[in-house]
Amino acid sequence: MIRGSIVALVTPFCRQSSKVDWEALKNLVDWHVSEGTNAIVAVGTTGESSTLNLAEHQKIIQFVVSASDGRIPIVAGTGANSTNEALELTAAAKDAGADACLLVTPYYNKPTQEGLYQHFRIIAESVDIKQILYNVPSRTACNIDVDTVLRLADLSRVVGIKEASGDMERAVNIIANRPRDFAVYSGDDPTARRLMSLGGDGNISVTANVVPKSMALMCDFALAGDENRAHEIDSSMRELHDTLFVESNPIPVKWVLSKMGMIENTLRLPLTCLSLEFHERVQLAMRRANITQKTST
């Protein structure tokens, strides 16, 4: 079971061409290994998977697996609102050597609970790789009921869930009734520490993109039951948790990474760069989190 800080990694693009910046991506992987991140999610929501074509999606997974060189587990984002597409992406991730897959609920078409169960069941029975469910109803307009989660948890290849609803009562219900080897991860930075204190297994994090060492330490302390030190570190990131969502993710986090000199501040349409009105607020959060700015505003 993967535990601790799992970064939902951005996908860097070149400013002139909007093509994937492979050098920057390699540098990000190396940085997360050195900073103590416990695992990387490639091409999830934060990785702008919705603007990548199928070939790019598969190539990024292959590249991140290769760049990690076995030093850190790689979880591939392979969800889709078409079961056949999710199957293809999941099979490609297995072939690329990913350690697990993260499968978001089918978005937009709003399946029934039985439809959700059958969608994930078919993928789990078809592809021999560990699979993590991803529940983020604020983005997908689709919520997996707790009963459906527990039903899916009985499938041997379904090993966990990224719970990004922020609903602690729901998370506690899953934790209390899950099989012993089924992981529950936070997908909501502001409530991640609390979820881990209630028995959760880690945090699939946006904030970890910019303060990986702090997030890894916070998760270590939270999982060890050291509430005081976990709270202290989490408090130092609190403003980041909020400001990294002043506009749609990953707009703010890519802006911060560009100011750190890690990537170009480039997104693909329909996403646009951080609005000028938020620059000062995000820079203030950077200063309070002791993030060094290397490029001018």
Side-chain angles (χ1 to χ4, degrees):
M1 183 188 295
I2 299 170
R3 304 186 86 226
S5 176
I6 305 166
V7 64
L9 194 67
V10 301
T11 299
F13 298 121
C14 300
R15 179 170 295 166
Q16 297 301 320
S17 64
S18 290
K19 292 182 178 179
V20 177
D21 186 337
W22 301 107
E23 181 179 0
L25 185 55
K26 172 66 163 63
N27 290 339
L28 288 175
V29 172
D30 290 341
W31 185 49
H32 280 284
V33 171
S34 68
E35 292 289 285
T37 297
N38 299 106
I40 291 172
V41 171
V43 287
T45 304
T46 308
E48 294 176 77
S49 55
S50 60
T51 65
L52 300 169
N53 63 42
L54 196 62
E56 288 175 321
H57 194 126
Q58 294 175 353
K59 186 175 180 180
I60 291 170
I61 293 169
Q62 292 169 351
F63 183 89
V64 172
V65 169
S66 177
S68 72
D69 195 24
R71 296 173 295 167
I72 187 172
I74 304 301
V75 180
T78 61
N81 63 345
S82 159
T83 304
N84 286 336
E85 182 178 341
L87 270 168
E88 184 176 355
L89 288 170
T90 303
K94 177 187 181 298
D95 292 343
D99 296 280
C101 290
L102 181 67
L103 290 146
V104 71
T105 53
Y107 41 85
Y108 187 76
N109 40 15
K110 299 176 75 170
T112 64
Q113 293 302 306
E114 182 61 24
L116 287 171
Y117 177 79
Q118 295 299 337
H119 170 82
F120 290 116
R121 179 192 63 80
I122 287 171
I123 299 168
E125 292 179 354
S126 300
V127 187
D128 185 11
I129 188 171
K130 295 176 181 177
Q131 295 165 30
I132 301 167
L133 311 173
Y134 179 11
N135 189 50
V136 56
S138 64
R139 278 188 177 261
T140 62
C142 179
N143 189 58
I144 317 177
D145 288 351
V146 171
D147 288 346
T148 306
V149 173
L150 297 175
R151 189 179 173 198
L152 287 163
D154 285 334
L155 301 175
S156 61
R157 291 174 185 152
V158 177
V159 299
I161 185 168
K162 175 183 177 181
E163 183 52 58
S165 67
D167 183 340
M168 288 297 104
E169 183 178 351
R170 171 190 163 87
V172 168
N173 194 352
I174 296 172
I175 289 167
N177 294 286
R178 63 181 171 172
R180 184 179 58 84
D181 55 353
F182 184 82
V184 178
Y185 305 107
S186 174
D188 179 59
D189 282 309
T191 59
R193 179 180 59 83
R194 186 178 171 205
L195 185 142
M196 285 183 280
S197 74
L198 295 170
D201 298 284
N203 183 27
I204 299 179
S205 171
V206 174
T207 303
N209 275 281
V210 296
V211 283
K213 184 173 289 185
S214 293
M215 182 58 72
L217 286 171
M218 190 277 283
C219 290
D220 287 346
F221 287 132
L223 292 171
D226 191 335
E227 280 294 307
N228 290 334
R229 284 195 279 185
H231 180 269
E232 181 182 358
I233 297 172
D234 194 33
S235 295
S236 74
M237 300 185 288
R238 179 63 54 186
E239 196 165 349
L240 279 176
H241 295 336
D242 295 333
T243 55
L244 291 180
F245 289 88
V246 292
E247 290 188 321
S248 297
N249 179 48
I251 291 172
V253 73
K254 290 191 100 172
W255 190 86
V256 173
L257 282 167
S258 73
K259 295 304 168 191
M260 295 169 67
M262 303 291 291
I263 66 171
E264 299 281 359
N265 185 30
T266 304
L267 300 99
R268 286 183 175 174
L269 290 171
L271 296 181
T272 53
C273 295
L274 184 68
S275 300
L276 182 61
E277 64 183 289
F278 295 118
H279 287 197
E280 185 175 347
R281 178 178 170 185
V282 177
Q283 282 185 308
L284 178 60
M286 290 174 65
R287 289 194 294 271
R288 289 178 174 170
N290 295 314
I291 296 174
T292 301
Q293 180 172 309
K294 294 184 179 180
T295 63
S296 59
T297 301

